[in-house]
Amino acid sequence: MLKTTLIKVVFLWKHFTFEAMQYFIDVILPIPLERLFTYSITRAEHGFIKPGMRVAVPFGKNKIYTALVYNSHQNQPEVYEAKAIHQILDDYPIVNDYQIKLWSWISKYYMCTLGDVLRAALPSAFLLESETIISKNEHANIEDSKLKDDEFLVYEALQHQSALKVNEISNILDKSNILPVLKRLLEKKTIVVEEEIFEKYKPKLVRYVKLNTNYSSDEALHRLLENLTRAPKQSAVVIALFSLTANKSKPIKVSELLTRSNASSAQIKTLIDKQILEEYFIQTDRIQYSGAENESIKTLNLYQENTLNEVIQSFKKHDVTLLHGVTSSGKTELYVKLIDEVLKSGKQVLYLLPEIALTTQLVNRLQHYFGEQVAVYHSKYSLNERVEVWNQVLNNLDKARIILGARSSVFLPFNNLGLIIVDEEHELSYKQFDPAPRYHARDTAIVLASLFNAKTLLGSATPSIESYFNATKAKKYGFAKLNRRYNDILMPEIELVDIKDKHKRKRMKGHFSDRLIEEMTVALQEDQQIILFQNRRGFSPIVECTTCGHSPQCPNCDVSLTYHQFKNQLRCHYCGYNMSMLLNCLACGSVDLDSKGFGTEQIEEEVKTLFPDYKVGRMDLDTTRGKYGYEKIITAFEQHEIDILVGTQMLTKGLDFRNVKLVGIMNADNMLNFPDFRAHERSFQLMLQVAGRAGRTAERGKVLIQTYNPYHKILQQVSNNDYISMFNEQLDERCNYKYPPIFRLIKITLKHREYNKVNVGADWLAKSLKQIFNTNVLGPEFPPISRIRNQYHKNILIKIPDNQSLSKTKEAILKIKNSFMSVKDFRPIRVILNVDNY
């Protein structure tokens, strides 16, 4: 009997302790805080919530954030009391384990917070917004006489409306700062403040219609048509619906019915109100493939076949392979073959591109081969479109077996990745500079592929020094080469034009040498197209008074305003500040204003004057701002609606134009003389890439490079298409001066509105770093443009040798940064850490 009683007591005690157990979740908040935050959940919620789900959580006094569940546990936080979550937002995880592992790596490697990564990774439609709602306190007795004028206005408005938003109260009071008023009303218990969650993503619903089931029999339909004899238009709608239903088994869209019956929306609505028609909605994707049947994949030539075998053999030994293929060698066809093999194994493929402009041509080519299996993902897509692609990838749907996208595509929720292709891997566009995380998509893609045991192929005609070093010297990557153009077409003939000599001989018309005009005339007479490259947009970078020498400056940045003739404006390319073009000098009042330098607008105008009978187009940031801006210009040029295309570096990135014979580089010296250790490498890549747009089909192309210094080593290497010489020369310099790939770099930038505060803070930080890293710390130094958006910048560069632990170096930097931020005078200074500042 005693034993039975003891068993009962033990059972009851266990039951009691089980019931008393508390459950918690750690969440990532989309704010730049170093740590995870813990919230309490119920036992039922613990059984439902999984890592990767979103929850709405209270934070601070009255803020609500969309947070992502990182893990669940039963450890109560020691420092603070865990708040309960507000609500669960998902039925299943929208982020998988692979992503959370990748985010953790990005956070650790690029020295940023998980909150930074979350905000960058998730489409903003997933980050639900909370909005503050103000309502009247129904339980309080309020005396109107005790309210101030502005308080009474809010109180009176709440008599007529049950609730008001903060911006609505701001309009009522005609004030931007209404917090003091709301604070006083809260103290008097006149109002109640709460947060309301708003879902941003809205699925696209297509409206369909069908005949009411009451009229499904022939007799009922006959009676209906007799009753509608006095309403011939309504009768026509019913007959049209009946004929559409007879011809096709698919549901009938309202838009389709309106077209067939020539009716109006009002007549459809009347029939629905009469319950003759029934309307219903079906959710559909915003992006749909409507192309023709799939084409068969092209047969590779002998050189491509050999290179493909090299890549396949390389993948057996290495997870990453660099493909060095000259421009127009048919690298894309190799990619297509590899993609086809991966798709047969049921896996996903990520195809990364540096520029959204490239997706226009490539998506068409890939869709011809793979149909609707290709999905596109980039920032020009709307929020809703990005959410739909995200869900397709998450669910491994056939619509998203191949993802073609810009750098943000590495954050998509892949669950069965087999191959990543990084096309034009040398491009600077793969590096994110602002805001955090300041990741490099190429390096992140390599880590992402390793999580799936997938392969990564890096492709370029001008590989980055780092990748070529890793492939040929360090042997970290495999290597394959394709040095023949498709159809054995010769590489373009490159000619250097000495414009210093041309100016002396007076053989220049504006910014065009007689040699360039001559070649352009020949190309146009042969009905060929021309590309003119100038890596500066606008009409002129400087407007100067010829009387006193004054030049209009941006009030927010230390930079001259660029003249844009199209809008007759002076604009700052750093902060967006703009003003109308001046009629008089701001300093002396003189009307003699002259422009210095030239951009794409000025080149476009000069071309129109020189060749008035030909169509000229321009492709730069100003002409491609719309969602389909790139597509319109590229399509027009492909269809020969444009004869001469003027553009910036957008033109260099892998675009395939079949009818371009001549490429003109207007001024090569701007790029070469930039104060950056990578200036020569970038100049070589840019010029060789834009040269590669010429002569891609039957006839050899020609490239003219205008320069004041035709004997510069880089220009000689470009003219000879000599990548190896450029690589060896640059590698020697970087060995001597301790730059990547021999040393790693971490750049620390300090920002503040006060010049002196930045100076003092930078000196303190640099001194502390030099005590640990000695001579491997450069700076602090102001960059060439030291003030941007009213913030002074000062840089410190840390060089990390190959034999020094990268993780310990970062730990030391973070400790010094935390000490720096603990000094009261330095707290307002913003410190930015940029790892691998490529």
Side-chain angles (χ1 to χ4, degrees), residues 362-467:
L362 260 174
V363 74
N364 291 334
R365 285 175 75 175
L366 291 180
Q367 281 180 336
H368 281 314
Y369 295 136
F370 302 110
E372 63 173 11
Q373 294 182 89
V374 181
V376 183
Y377 189 84
H378 55 63
S379 59
K380 288 272 171 131
Y381 269 17
S382 69
L383 292 178
N384 293 325
E385 287 170 339
R386 271 181 275 171
V387 168
E388 285 171 6
V389 175
W390 181 283
N391 288 331
Q392 288 167 2
V393 176
L394 180 67
N395 297 315
N396 202 9
L397 299 182
D398 287 342
K399 289 182 178 180
R401 300 283 305 285
I402 305 166
I403 298 296
L404 188 66
R407 63 173 179 246
S408 58
S409 305
V410 295
F411 293 120
L412 285 166
F414 299 99
N415 49 49
N416 193 18
L417 196 59
L419 173 69
I420 298 180
I421 294 167
V422 185
D423 201 11
E424 309 297 344
E425 65 83 28
H426 65 277
E427 277 292 344
L428 184 64
S429 311
Y430 282 125
K431 174 69 175 173
Q432 163 87 1
F433 287 99
D434 261 322
R438 294 171 179 82
Y439 67 100
H440 198 296
R442 178 194 64 213
D443 301 339
T444 306
I446 291 169
V447 174
L448 174 64
S450 70
L451 295 175
F452 289 90
N453 293 320
K455 303 298 180 185
T456 307
L457 181 63
L458 311 178
S460 177
T462 54
S464 64
I465 301 287
E466 289 79 13
S467 294

Side-chain angles (χ1 to χ4, degrees), residues 46 76 78 81 109 119-120 154 183 202 268 314 326 368-369 426-427 434 528 588 593 656 791:
H46 174 73
Q76 189 168 350
E78 294 176 3
E81 187 179 343
Y109 186 83
R119 187 163 281 283
V154 177
K183 189 180 176 185
K202 292 180 181 176
I268 302 279
S314 173
V326 297
H368 281 314
Y369 295 136
H426 65 277
E427 277 292 344
D434 261 322
Q528 300 281 347
C588 69
L593 299 174
D656 185 24
Q791 298 266 329

Side-chain angles (χ1 to χ4, degrees), residues 106-222:
I106 291 171
S107 171
K108 189 176 178 183
Y109 186 83
Y110 291 105
M111 301 173 79
C112 61
T113 68
L114 275 169
D116 288 325
V117 185
L118 171 67
R119 187 163 281 283
L122 286 185
S124 54
F126 279 139
L127 299 172
L128 304 185
E129 288 184 335
S130 68
E131 203 162 325
T132 307
I133 305 293
I134 287 64
S135 54
K136 190 174 71 171
N137 188 351
E138 302 290 350
H139 304 293
N141 295 319
I142 296 133
E143 294 181 30
D144 299 357
S145 58
K146 289 186 178 179
L147 297 177
K148 292 183 180 179
D149 290 347
D150 48 6
E151 295 168 6
F152 181 75
L153 284 172
V154 177
Y155 177 70
E156 189 180 34
L158 288 169
Q159 303 291 337
H160 303 289
Q161 283 181 260
S162 59
L164 290 169
K165 293 176 186 174
V166 168
N167 60 336
E168 291 171 339
I169 293 174
S170 184
N171 293 333
I172 290 167
L173 299 179
D174 197 21
K175 285 183 182 178
S176 57
N177 184 15
I178 60 163
L179 292 178
V181 181
L182 296 179
K183 189 180 176 185
R184 291 199 304 269
L185 286 167
L186 279 167
E187 285 169 355
K188 292 173 183 176
K189 297 183 179 178
T190 308
I191 60 169
V192 176
V193 176
E194 59 185 349
E195 295 281 326
E196 189 171 328
I197 294 286
F198 292 93
E199 178 77 69
K200 282 192 200 172
Y201 171 63
K202 292 180 181 176
K204 183 180 180 182
L205 299 174
V206 177
R207 192 176 171 217
Y208 289 84
V209 73
K210 62 181 179 181
L211 199 63
N212 193 305
T213 50
N214 295 333
Y215 305 102
S216 54
S217 66
D218 291 343
E219 291 177 14
L221 183 62
H222 185 69

Side-chain angles (χ1 to χ4, degrees), residues 19-35:
E19 284 298 321
M21 277 183 186
Q22 289 182 292
Y23 297 94
F24 301 94
I25 53 169
D26 291 334
V27 300
I28 307 169
L29 289 169
I31 47 180
L33 295 174
E34 296 288 343
R35 46 178 291 183

Side-chain angles (χ1 to χ4, degrees), residues 755-756 758-759 780-787 792-795:
Y755 178 86
N756 288 333
V758 169
N759 251 342
E781 285 292 331
F782 285 107
I785 298 167
S786 59
R787 184 173 61 102
Y792 286 98
H793 294 213
K794 205 162 189 182
N795 296 333

